[in-house]
Amino acid sequence: MKELIYLMNGRTPEKSTSFKNRMAKLQTQRFCWRDYVVSLRLAPPAWAGTRRLTDYVHMLGSQTGEIWIAPELDPYFPGWRQPLPDPELAAHLLSEQPFREILVVLLGKSPEHRNDWWQECFLEGCFADLNGLYLVGAQEEETSDFFDWLYEQSGLPACFLKRLPDTDGRKTVVVDLCREGRPPVREIAAGSIYLDLTSDPEKRRILKEKRTDISYISVRNYLDTAFKARYNAI
């Protein structure tokens, strides 16, 4: 099973003393969730804002390559980039949303977002019942034979565009894989679901402020809700 590492604040010990806080150690809880082994790392509240916490995170990141950081820890890690979810997790999160028949995928320029394997695994898990598929930022000549296969399977042609298409937002979900720049605030159709796979706090702030007519969801916030509910139930 794949491992998913998530760092969040642990509970404040009851009747804690300054000595106990100084001796606090990071704890780990492990449990199975879907197809993952979740390693929930619980940072002592006394570590907040300290070098001990930042050193630990950078050490862990260098060892594992991927670690998710809970929203309450964002102030201590300015500029931190949450991992890109694997395609199965992204497809699952999309399936958790109200069904929309038009799928728009915003592609970034960095290699991790232009990975043919990632795109194909993701789309293979969510193309059923779609009536529209748009890939924004991709060139048709760059694509693989996968889209020919997809068309043979479903009759669904993939459209390759430079900017967001004009769609009915009530039927549209936008999946954002683009790390670079600001979200296309003005181009998103009213009523759309906006699934941010980059989990960028600045995107969330901008869209919550300027586009109250769309539904914003990020992978990190989804995981945060699921894992904290599990932690609080223990």
Side-chain angles (χ1 to χ4, degrees):
M1 298 179 73
K2 295 168 287 189
E3 184 178 24
L4 195 157
I5 301 175
Y6 196 85
L7 178 69
M8 57 180 273
N9 272 338
R11 298 187 181 99
T12 302
E14 294 183 6
K15 300 180 180 179
S16 62
T17 66
S18 58
F19 174 75
K20 288 183 179 179
N21 281 335
R22 286 197 299 271
M23 298 299 293
K25 295 181 179 179
L26 186 139
Q27 297 178 336
T28 301
Q29 291 183 358
R30 293 171 66 86
F31 54 86
C32 293
W33 178 78
R34 295 187 52 79
D35 295 327
Y36 303 87
V37 174
V38 176
S39 180
L40 196 62
R41 307 294 174 101
L42 307 171
W47 283 23
T50 68
R51 185 170 178 176
R52 191 173 188 181
L53 178 62
T54 54
D55 285 350
Y56 172 80
V57 168
H58 290 295
M59 177 274 294
L60 186 62
S62 66
Q63 292 178 350
T64 66
E66 292 188 356
I67 176 172
W68 297 82
I69 294 179
E72 66 268 16
L73 298 175
D74 280 346
Y76 311 122
F77 298 93
W80 180 270
R81 288 187 169 186
Q82 305 291 340
L84 181 72
D86 66 36
E88 291 82 6
L89 178 56
H92 167 70
L93 181 52
L94 179 60
S95 72
E96 292 281 288
Q97 311 311 315
F99 175 71
R100 300 293 177 91
E101 62 189 63
I102 300 172
L103 174 61
V104 180
V105 182
L106 303 182
L107 298 172
K109 297 178 181 179
S110 58
E112 63 175 327
H113 300 156
R114 301 304 293 268
N115 183 296
D116 287 344
W117 170 83
W118 196 102
Q119 294 178 35
E120 292 170 10
C121 290
F122 171 68
L123 292 173
E124 190 173 357
C126 61
F127 76 87
D129 301 323
L130 289 178
N131 287 328
L133 174 60
Y134 301 90
L135 288 91
V136 179
Q139 299 296 323
E140 188 166 4
E141 58 269 20
E142 298 176 358
T143 59
S144 67
D145 294 335
F146 169 78
F147 293 100
D148 294 333
W149 172 85
L150 190 150
Y151 181 75
E152 293 173 359
Q153 295 295 314
S154 64
L156 179 68
C159 300
F160 304 91
L161 307 173
K162 293 183 178 179
R163 56 176 294 169
L164 265 70
D166 184 11
T167 62
D168 182 346
R170 297 168 299 177
K171 301 177 180 180
T172 302
V173 57
V174 178
V175 174
D176 187 354
L177 281 162
C178 186
R179 295 271 197 200
E180 304 83 12
R182 291 162 57 89
V185 176
R186 297 181 180 179
E187 299 174 25
I188 306 168
S192 296
I193 294 174
Y194 195 94
L195 178 55
D196 180 14
L197 297 187
T198 70
S199 301
D200 186 334
E202 182 63 9
K203 285 182 184 178
R204 181 181 187 278
R205 184 193 67 79
I206 292 172
L207 292 172
K208 288 287 187 180
E209 178 181 313
K210 299 183 179 295
R211 291 303 305 267
T212 57
D213 58 318
I214 68 171
S215 298
Y216 174 91
I217 302 102
S218 76
V219 183
R220 196 266 298 268
N221 286 353
Y222 174 84
L223 296 178
D224 192 65
T225 299
F227 295 162
K228 285 180 179 173
R230 178 68 176 262
Y231 174 57
N232 290 332
I234 297 175

